[in-house]
Amino acid sequence: MGINETSQPIELLLAVRRGNRTLGSQIEDRLRRAIREGTLRPGSRLPSTRDLARQLGISRRVVVDAYAQLAAEGYLSLRQGARPRVSPTPASALQAPVVPEVPACRARFDFRPSTPDVSTFPRAAWLRSLREAVSRVTDADLGYGDPRGVIALRSALAEYLGRVRGVVADPERVVVTSGYTQGLGLVCRALAAAGARRIALEDPSNPDDAIVAARAGLEPVRVGVDAGGTRLDDVMRTDPDALVLTPAHQQPTGVVLTGERREALLAWLRGRNAVAIEDDYDAEYRYDRAAIGALQGLDPDHVAYAGSASKTLAPALRLGWLVVPPSLLQAVTHEKLLADRGTARIEQYAFADFLNRGELDRHLRRMRARYRRRRDALVEALADALPEARVCGAAAGLQVTVELRDGDDERAIRAQARSRRVEIETMGDFRPAAAGSPPALVLGYAQMPEPTIRAGVRELAEAVHAARRDQTP
Ligand SMILES: Cc1ncc(COP(=O)(O)O)c(C=O)c1O
């Protein structure tokens, strides 16, 4: 059925004031700006002159003249009998932008570490689970429900996390989140509400964590990381109320928290009645031996466990989970309710079905073998092309940290790499207060097949050499 375009009045948020500028010029200015800034997009429909005049309580003639002026300038397209529209190619596109845009240029070799190989996302299996979820969901399930998430997923996660990560996970204490980042914010706000003031973060670590914690009202303090993982002497010295750490595979150094430190940390948490937030972001990938179990399994009362589907399936799912200590459960549930009243429930049912069918296990078995080959290819290529570089950390996860020579300049290397369309991250991205550790690159290998990795490393080595040449006086 066709819709008569001119029959429906269109609302436009536009205000004019009677004062020293004419009403017509005010309308013109507002519309010009909205079109230039993109609030009104190319092709958008506008109110008819009659409707806009009525909406603003002004004479139609004023609007007719303003529209005609804008049409003459190329902003609007006016045709007899048709609804006025923003021009398909508005005048703004023809003018030089105020800030010249760098043309979007795709990396030839993308070593940025955040994304898994999403080209292997198990689309057919996910679609089957999603179809199952949509067809089975009851009318009651289509309401808001428990902000912690649907019980089917909380139970499936409890089973999975207990089996694969040694997490002590009662479904009652599982909270489904929209990714780890949201989960961290929820726990931080719950901690702040319970009177916590200071939170320790690893240095280096993901820079967003400090922002999330600070926005929740906590004061972030830094604790160092060495070959044994988080430095406990720093934890004791800063005496925080809470601590965020990545014990299975420190982000970004790749070290694993030693057994002795785990025990000492848990003893400290109990003595101080503090809470650790365990970011278990990529623990499913360990290539040389079985992954060590989650810290949370050793003390579920003092460790909040946080996980995510972003590294195992795809960041776009925005699915994460918390296993919350009893003392924080009510507050975290309340924060989740205030944040968004719960994560998308149909996707939760789909993920529960996906887990229960063993699809995640199957996908991970495939991906582990693939990522392991890619990691090996990266390490070998680095040994060939940059023999002075040192690959650090455990054979795990989706990225390696590569220490360079003292004096190498991370920024200059990144700039040289970018000019060759090679994208990388450097330790400086994770180290806000640049401590005196050696220069290092953080290289993700998940997204490229082995031949591409080898070619990319050769380009990267060229970039390192070029940066060194530029540095020599
Ligand atoms: C250290 C770390 N934790 C967690 C995540 C996952 O975050 P989210 O679940 O919000 O995508 C990432 C993603 O890159 C990460 O680097």
Side-chain angles (χ1 to χ4, degrees), residues 114 179-181 206 251 279 281 308 310-311 318:
S114 48
Y180 161 79
T181 312
N206 186 344
Q251 162 83 336
D279 176 4
Y281 66 108
S308 163
S310 290
K311 302 281 185 189
R318 305 314 304 136

Side-chain angles (χ1 to χ4, degrees), residues 319-364:
L319 278 170
W321 42 89
L322 294 168
V323 185
V324 183
S327 60
L328 287 175
L329 181 59
Q330 207 180 352
V332 168
T333 305
H334 187 58
E335 291 298 335
K336 177 64 181 163
L337 179 129
L338 295 178
D340 58 10
R341 295 193 181 273
T343 291
R345 293 167 74 81
I346 293 176
E347 277 73 8
Q348 290 190 54
Y349 278 112
F351 191 34
D353 182 76
F354 190 86
L355 284 169
N356 291 337
R357 284 181 198 275
E359 293 292 354
L360 185 60
D361 295 282
R362 196 166 301 130
H363 181 63
L364 285 172

Side-chain angles (χ1 to χ4, degrees), residues 206-228:
N206 186 344
D208 289 347
D209 286 7
I211 302 170
V212 170
R215 294 216 172 167
L218 300 175
E219 178 202 349
V221 293
R222 297 282 167 183
V223 292
V225 174
D226 62 20

